[in-house]
PDB file of all heavy atoms in Angstrom:
ATOM      1  N   ILE G  11      86.341 134.781 133.406  1.00 98.00           N
ATOM      2  CA  ILE G  11      86.564 134.582 131.975  1.00 98.00           C
ATOM      3  C   ILE G  11      86.026 135.758 131.179  1.00 98.00           C
ATOM      4  O   ILE G  11      86.678 136.239 130.244  1.00 98.00           O
ATOM      5  CB  ILE G  11      85.939 133.247 131.522  1.00 98.00           C
ATOM      6  CG1 ILE G  11      86.741 132.084 132.115  1.00 98.00           C
ATOM      7  CG2 ILE G  11      85.865 133.151 130.005  1.00 98.00           C
ATOM      8  CD1 ILE G  11      86.064 130.729 131.997  1.00 98.00           C
ATOM      9  N   ALA G  12      84.861 136.265 131.553  1.00 98.00           N
ATOM     10  CA  ALA G  12      84.293 137.421 130.856  1.00 98.00           C
ATOM     11  C   ALA G  12      85.173 138.655 131.016  1.00 98.00           C
ATOM     12  O   ALA G  12      85.298 139.457 130.090  1.00 98.00           O
ATOM     13  CB  ALA G  12      82.884 137.711 131.391  1.00 98.00           C
ATOM     14  N   LEU G  13      85.805 138.787 132.159  1.00 98.00           N
ATOM     15  CA  LEU G  13      86.637 139.956 132.432  1.00 98.00           C
ATOM     16  C   LEU G  13      88.022 139.864 131.795  1.00 98.00           C
ATOM     17  O   LEU G  13      88.512 140.832 131.212  1.00 98.00           O
ATOM     18  CB  LEU G  13      86.782 140.144 133.946  1.00 98.00           C
ATOM     19  CG  LEU G  13      87.531 141.373 134.428  1.00 98.00           C
ATOM     20  CD1 LEU G  13      86.840 142.649 133.952  1.00 98.00           C
ATOM     21  CD2 LEU G  13      87.611 141.356 135.954  1.00 98.00           C
ATOM     22  N   TYR G  14      88.647 138.673 131.873  1.00 98.00           N
ATOM     23  CA  TYR G  14      90.049 138.532 131.455  1.00 98.00           C
ATOM     24  C   TYR G  14      90.262 137.683 130.210  1.00 98.00           C
ATOM     25  O   TYR G  14      91.365 137.652 129.683  1.00 98.00           O
ATOM     26  CB  TYR G  14      90.868 137.891 132.584  1.00 98.00           C
ATOM     27  CG  TYR G  14      90.959 138.717 133.838  1.00 98.00           C
ATOM     28  CD1 TYR G  14      90.181 138.414 134.951  1.00 98.00           C
ATOM     29  CD2 TYR G  14      91.837 139.795 133.935  1.00 98.00           C
ATOM     30  CE1 TYR G  14      90.276 139.153 136.119  1.00 98.00           C
ATOM     31  CE2 TYR G  14      91.940 140.545 135.096  1.00 98.00           C
ATOM     32  CZ  TYR G  14      91.153 140.209 136.189  1.00 98.00           C
ATOM     33  OH  TYR G  14      91.249 140.945 137.343  1.00 98.00           O
ATOM     34  N   GLY G  15      89.256 136.942 129.770  1.00 98.00           N
ATOM     35  CA  GLY G  15      89.448 135.978 128.689  1.00 98.00           C
ATOM     36  C   GLY G  15      89.588 134.584 129.280  1.00 98.00           C
ATOM     37  O   GLY G  15      89.792 134.419 130.485  1.00 98.00           O
ATOM     38  N   LYS G  16      89.496 133.560 128.432  1.00 97.00           N
ATOM     39  CA  LYS G  16      89.423 132.184 128.919  1.00 97.00           C
ATOM     40  C   LYS G  16      90.667 131.759 129.710  1.00 97.00           C
ATOM     41  O   LYS G  16      90.567 131.415 130.888  1.00 97.00           O
ATOM     42  CB  LYS G  16      89.185 131.227 127.751  1.00 97.00           C
ATOM     43  CG  LYS G  16      88.798 129.849 128.209  1.00 97.00           C
ATOM     44  CD  LYS G  16      88.243 129.029 127.073  1.00 97.00           C
ATOM     45  CE  LYS G  16      87.659 127.741 127.617  1.00 97.00           C
ATOM     46  NZ  LYS G  16      86.934 127.005 126.623  1.00 97.00           N
ATOM     47  N   LYS G  17      91.825 131.785 129.093  1.00 98.00           N
ATOM     48  CA  LYS G  17      93.052 131.330 129.768  1.00 98.00           C
ATOM     49  C   LYS G  17      93.421 132.255 130.915  1.00 98.00           C
ATOM     50  O   LYS G  17      93.644 131.812 132.046  1.00 98.00           O
ATOM     51  CB  LYS G  17      94.191 131.243 128.754  1.00 98.00           C
ATOM     52  CG  LYS G  17      95.525 130.810 129.348  1.00 98.00           C
ATOM     53  CD  LYS G  17      96.605 130.775 128.264  1.00 98.00           C
ATOM     54  CE  LYS G  17      97.957 130.377 128.781  1.00 98.00           C
ATOM     55  NZ  LYS G  17      98.576 131.374 129.644  1.00 98.00           N
ATOM     56  N   GLU G  18      93.464 133.536 130.628  1.00 98.00           N
ATOM     57  CA  GLU G  18      93.869 134.503 131.640  1.00 98.00           C
ATOM     58  C   GLU G  18      92.863 134.588 132.788  1.00 98.00           C
ATOM     59  O   GLU G  18      93.238 134.820 133.934  1.00 98.00           O
ATOM     60  CB  GLU G  18      94.064 135.891 131.012  1.00 98.00           C
ATOM     61  CG  GLU G  18      95.230 135.967 130.044  1.00 98.00           C
ATOM     62  CD  GLU G  18      94.908 135.422 128.647  1.00 98.00           C
ATOM     63  OE1 GLU G  18      93.731 135.093 128.364  1.00 98.00           O
ATOM     64  OE2 GLU G  18      95.854 135.303 127.846  1.00 98.00           O
ATOM     65  N   GLY G  19      91.593 134.380 132.487  1.00 98.00           N
ATOM     66  CA  GLY G  19      90.565 134.433 133.526  1.00 98.00           C
ATOM     67  C   GLY G  19      90.725 133.339 134.557  1.00 98.00           C
ATOM     68  O   GLY G  19      90.669 133.599 135.764  1.00 98.00           O
ATOM     69  N   ILE G  20      90.943 132.117 134.078  1.00 97.00           N
ATOM     70  CA  ILE G  20      91.131 131.008 135.009  1.00 97.00           C
ATOM     71  C   ILE G  20      92.444 131.181 135.769  1.00 97.00           C
ATOM     72  O   ILE G  20      92.519 130.917 136.973  1.00 97.00           O
ATOM     73  CB  ILE G  20      91.085 129.654 134.271  1.00 97.00           C
ATOM     74  CG1 ILE G  20      89.697 129.432 133.671  1.00 97.00           C
ATOM     75  CG2 ILE G  20      91.479 128.506 135.191  1.00 97.00           C
ATOM     76  CD1 ILE G  20      88.567 129.383 134.697  1.00 97.00           C
ATOM     77  N   GLU G  21      93.480 131.648 135.087  1.00 96.00           N
ATOM     78  CA  GLU G  21      94.756 131.883 135.769  1.00 96.00           C
ATOM     79  C   GLU G  21      94.621 132.972 136.834  1.00 96.00           C
ATOM     80  O   GLU G  21      95.150 132.832 137.943  1.00 96.00           O
ATOM     81  CB  GLU G  21      95.843 132.243 134.756  1.00 96.00           C
ATOM     82  CG  GLU G  21      96.266 131.052 133.907  1.00 96.00           C
ATOM     83  CD  GLU G  21      97.217 131.412 132.786  1.00 96.00           C
ATOM     84  OE1 GLU G  21      97.480 132.628 132.559  1.00 96.00           O
ATOM     85  OE2 GLU G  21      97.716 130.481 132.126  1.00 96.00           O
ATOM     86  N   GLN G  22      93.902 134.040 136.521  1.00 97.00           N
ATOM     87  CA  GLN G  22      93.706 135.119 137.492  1.00 97.00           C
ATOM     88  C   GLN G  22      92.868 134.638 138.674  1.00 97.00           C
ATOM     89  O   GLN G  22      93.136 134.980 139.820  1.00 97.00           O
ATOM     90  CB  GLN G  22      93.048 136.335 136.837  1.00 97.00           C
ATOM     91  CG  GLN G  22      92.930 137.530 137.762  1.00 97.00           C
ATOM     92  CD  GLN G  22      94.283 138.064 138.200  1.00 97.00           C
ATOM     93  OE1 GLN G  22      95.162 138.305 137.387  1.00 97.00           O
ATOM     94  NE2 GLN G  22      94.457 138.234 139.494  1.00 97.00           N
ATOM     95  N   MET G  23      91.871 133.814 138.387  1.00 97.00           N
ATOM     96  CA  MET G  23      91.053 133.245 139.458  1.00 97.00           C
ATOM     97  C   MET G  23      91.934 132.413 140.392  1.00 97.00           C
ATOM     98  O   MET G  23      91.834 132.521 141.625  1.00 97.00           O
ATOM     99  CB  MET G  23      89.943 132.390 138.850  1.00 97.00           C
ATOM    100  CG  MET G  23      88.964 131.837 139.844  1.00 97.00           C
ATOM    101  SD  MET G  23      87.668 130.928 138.941  1.00 97.00           S
ATOM    102  CE  MET G  23      86.844 130.135 140.293  1.00 97.00           C
ATOM    103  N   GLY G  24      92.797 131.589 139.817  1.00 95.00           N
ATOM    104  CA  GLY G  24      93.716 130.778 140.621  1.00 95.00           C
ATOM    105  C   GLY G  24      94.684 131.628 141.411  1.00 95.00           C
ATOM    106  O   GLY G  24      94.964 131.358 142.588  1.00 95.00           O
ATOM    107  N   GLU G  25      95.197 132.682 140.774  1.00 95.00           N
ATOM    108  CA  GLU G  25      96.124 133.582 141.460  1.00 95.00           C
ATOM    109  C   GLU G  25      95.436 134.275 142.637  1.00 95.00           C
ATOM    110  O   GLU G  25      95.999 134.363 143.734  1.00 95.00           O
ATOM    111  CB  GLU G  25      96.656 134.616 140.471  1.00 95.00           C
ATOM    112  CG  GLU G  25      97.749 135.486 141.038  1.00 95.00           C
ATOM    113  CD  GLU G  25      98.350 136.412 139.989  1.00 95.00           C
ATOM    114  OE1 GLU G  25      98.530 135.978 138.838  1.00 95.00           O
ATOM    115  OE2 GLU G  25      98.637 137.566 140.344  1.00 95.00           O
ATOM    116  N   ASP G  26      94.216 134.751 142.422  1.00 96.00           N
ATOM    117  CA  ASP G  26      93.479 135.400 143.508  1.00 96.00           C
ATOM    118  C   ASP G  26      93.175 134.415 144.624  1.00 96.00           C
ATOM    119  O   ASP G  26      93.254 134.759 145.811  1.00 96.00           O
ATOM    120  CB  ASP G  26      92.181 136.020 142.982  1.00 96.00           C
ATOM    121  CG  ASP G  26      92.427 137.289 142.174  1.00 96.00           C
ATOM    122  OD1 ASP G  26      93.553 137.828 142.222  1.00 96.00           O
ATOM    123  OD2 ASP G  26      91.479 137.732 141.493  1.00 96.00           O
ATOM    124  N   MET G  27      92.838 133.182 144.258  1.00 94.00           N
ATOM    125  CA  MET G  27      92.566 132.164 145.268  1.00 94.00           C
ATOM    126  C   MET G  27      93.808 131.922 146.116  1.00 94.00           C
ATOM    127  O   MET G  27      93.724 131.868 147.351  1.00 94.00           O
ATOM    128  CB  MET G  27      92.119 130.863 144.597  1.00 94.00           C
ATOM    129  CG  MET G  27      91.866 129.744 145.572  1.00 94.00           C
ATOM    130  SD  MET G  27      90.463 130.022 146.632  1.00 94.00           S
ATOM    131  CE  MET G  27      89.182 129.356 145.625  1.00 94.00           C
ATOM    132  N   CYS G  28      94.948 131.792 145.456  1.00 92.00           N
ATOM    133  CA  CYS G  28      96.194 131.496 146.187  1.00 92.00           C
ATOM    134  C   CYS G  28      96.707 132.692 146.976  1.00 92.00           C
ATOM    135  O   CYS G  28      97.108 132.552 148.124  1.00 92.00           O
ATOM    136  CB  CYS G  28      97.267 131.020 145.214  1.00 92.00           C
ATOM    137  SG  CYS G  28      96.935 129.386 144.535  1.00 92.00           S
ATOM    138  N   SER G  29      96.696 133.865 146.367  1.00 93.00           N
ATOM    139  CA  SER G  29      97.339 135.010 147.017  1.00 93.00           C
ATOM    140  C   SER G  29      96.414 135.833 147.909  1.00 93.00           C
ATOM    141  O   SER G  29      96.884 136.496 148.826  1.00 93.00           O
ATOM    142  CB  SER G  29      97.963 135.923 145.962  1.00 93.00           C
ATOM    143  OG  SER G  29      96.965 136.525 145.155  1.00 93.00           O
ATOM    144  N   ARG G  30      95.107 135.775 147.656  1.00 95.00           N
ATOM    145  CA  ARG G  30      94.213 136.656 148.411  1.00 95.00           C
ATOM    146  C   ARG G  30      93.241 135.922 149.327  1.00 95.00           C
ATOM    147  O   ARG G  30      92.766 136.491 150.301  1.00 95.00           O
ATOM    148  CB  ARG G  30      93.436 137.536 147.433  1.00 95.00           C
ATOM    149  CG  ARG G  30      94.395 138.380 146.570  1.00 95.00           C
ATOM    150  CD  ARG G  30      93.675 139.178 145.554  1.00 95.00           C
ATOM    151  NE  ARG G  30      93.081 140.345 146.218  1.00 95.00           N
ATOM    152  CZ  ARG G  30      92.314 141.221 145.609  1.00 95.00           C
ATOM    153  NH1 ARG G  30      92.034 141.065 144.341  1.00 95.00           N
ATOM    154  NH2 ARG G  30      91.820 142.250 146.258  1.00 95.00           N
ATOM    155  N   ILE G  31      92.919 134.686 149.009  1.00 95.00           N
ATOM    156  CA  ILE G  31      91.938 133.959 149.817  1.00 95.00           C
ATOM    157  C   ILE G  31      92.622 132.915 150.708  1.00 95.00           C
ATOM    158  O   ILE G  31      92.353 132.853 151.909  1.00 95.00           O
ATOM    159  CB  ILE G  31      90.858 133.322 148.928  1.00 95.00           C
ATOM    160  CG1 ILE G  31      90.060 134.443 148.250  1.00 95.00           C
ATOM    161  CG2 ILE G  31      89.941 132.410 149.741  1.00 95.00           C
ATOM    162  CD1 ILE G  31      89.049 133.992 147.248  1.00 95.00           C
ATOM    163  N   ALA G  32      93.496 132.109 150.130  1.00 94.00           N
ATOM    164  CA  ALA G  32      94.128 131.028 150.889  1.00 94.00           C
ATOM    165  C   ALA G  32      94.882 131.503 152.136  1.00 94.00           C
ATOM    166  O   ALA G  32      94.817 130.822 153.161  1.00 94.00           O
ATOM    167  CB  ALA G  32      95.057 130.217 149.991  1.00 94.00           C
ATOM    168  N   PRO G  33      95.577 132.639 152.097  1.00 94.00           N
ATOM    169  CA  PRO G  33      96.312 133.034 153.305  1.00 94.00           C
ATOM    170  C   PRO G  33      95.439 133.135 154.560  1.00 94.00           C
ATOM    171  O   PRO G  33      95.894 132.823 155.655  1.00 94.00           O
ATOM    172  CB  PRO G  33      96.909 134.392 152.944  1.00 94.00           C
ATOM    173  CG  PRO G  33      97.090 134.329 151.462  1.00 94.00           C
ATOM    174  CD  PRO G  33      95.884 133.554 150.982  1.00 94.00           C
ATOM    175  N   GLY G  34      94.207 133.513 154.415  1.00 94.00           N
ATOM    176  CA  GLY G  34      93.329 133.630 155.571  1.00 94.00           C
ATOM    177  C   GLY G  34      92.391 132.454 155.777  1.00 94.00           C
ATOM    178  O   GLY G  34      91.720 132.368 156.800  1.00 94.00           O
ATOM    179  N   GLN G  35      92.329 131.537 154.811  1.00 94.00           N
ATOM    180  CA  GLN G  35      91.350 130.454 154.886  1.00 94.00           C
ATOM    181  C   GLN G  35      91.959 129.059 154.955  1.00 94.00           C
ATOM    182  O   GLN G  35      91.379 128.170 155.559  1.00 94.00           O
ATOM    183  CB  GLN G  35      90.397 130.523 153.681  1.00 94.00           C
ATOM    184  CG  GLN G  35      89.613 131.811 153.594  1.00 94.00           C
ATOM    185  CD  GLN G  35      88.684 132.011 154.772  1.00 94.00           C
ATOM    186  OE1 GLN G  35      88.051 131.093 155.247  1.00 94.00           O
ATOM    187  NE2 GLN G  35      88.623 133.241 155.277  1.00 94.00           N
ATOM    188  N   HIS G  36      93.079 128.839 154.326  1.00 94.00           N
ATOM    189  CA  HIS G  36      93.707 127.504 154.309  1.00 94.00           C
ATOM    190  C   HIS G  36      94.703 127.431 155.460  1.00 94.00           C
ATOM    191  O   HIS G  36      95.483 128.358 155.655  1.00 94.00           O
ATOM    192  CB  HIS G  36      94.421 127.274 152.970  1.00 94.00           C
ATOM    193  CG  HIS G  36      94.839 125.864 152.753  1.00 94.00           C
ATOM    194  ND1 HIS G  36      95.954 125.321 153.344  1.00 94.00           N
ATOM    195  CD2 HIS G  36      94.278 124.868 152.018  1.00 94.00           C
ATOM    196  CE1 HIS G  36      96.071 124.064 152.970  1.00 94.00           C
ATOM    197  NE2 HIS G  36      95.063 123.768 152.162  1.00 94.00           N
ATOM    198  N   PRO G  37      94.693 126.330 156.221  1.00 94.00           N
ATOM    199  CA  PRO G  37      95.606 126.236 157.369  1.00 94.00           C
ATOM    200  C   PRO G  37      97.079 126.377 156.978  1.00 94.00           C
ATOM    201  O   PRO G  37      97.882 126.860 157.774  1.00 94.00           O
ATOM    202  CB  PRO G  37      95.338 124.853 157.955  1.00 94.00           C
ATOM    203  CG  PRO G  37      94.223 124.256 157.204  1.00 94.00           C
ATOM    204  CD  PRO G  37      93.841 125.164 156.083  1.00 94.00           C
ATOM    205  N   GLY G  38      97.426 125.985 155.766  1.00 93.00           N
ATOM    206  CA  GLY G  38      98.810 126.106 155.314  1.00 93.00           C
ATOM    207  C   GLY G  38      99.056 127.367 154.506  1.00 93.00           C
ATOM    208  O   GLY G  38     100.109 127.510 153.876  1.00 93.00           O
TER     209      GLY G  38
END
């Protein structure tokens, strides 16, 4: 949030979780 702003920060966090973390951590 400090880096991107409130809405964009949470959206970017979600995007990073889905595109950068989940591929190697979530079974699906």
Side-chain angles (χ1 to χ4, degrees):
I11 290 167
L13 184 60
Y14 296 102
K16 193 166 189 171
K17 179 181 179 291
E18 293 81 7
I20 296 299
E21 289 173 353
Q22 185 63 50
M23 185 177 170
E25 187 174 321
D26 286 347
M27 178 67 88
C28 290
S29 66
R30 301 176 78 184
I31 295 174
Q35 300 297 320
H36 192 282

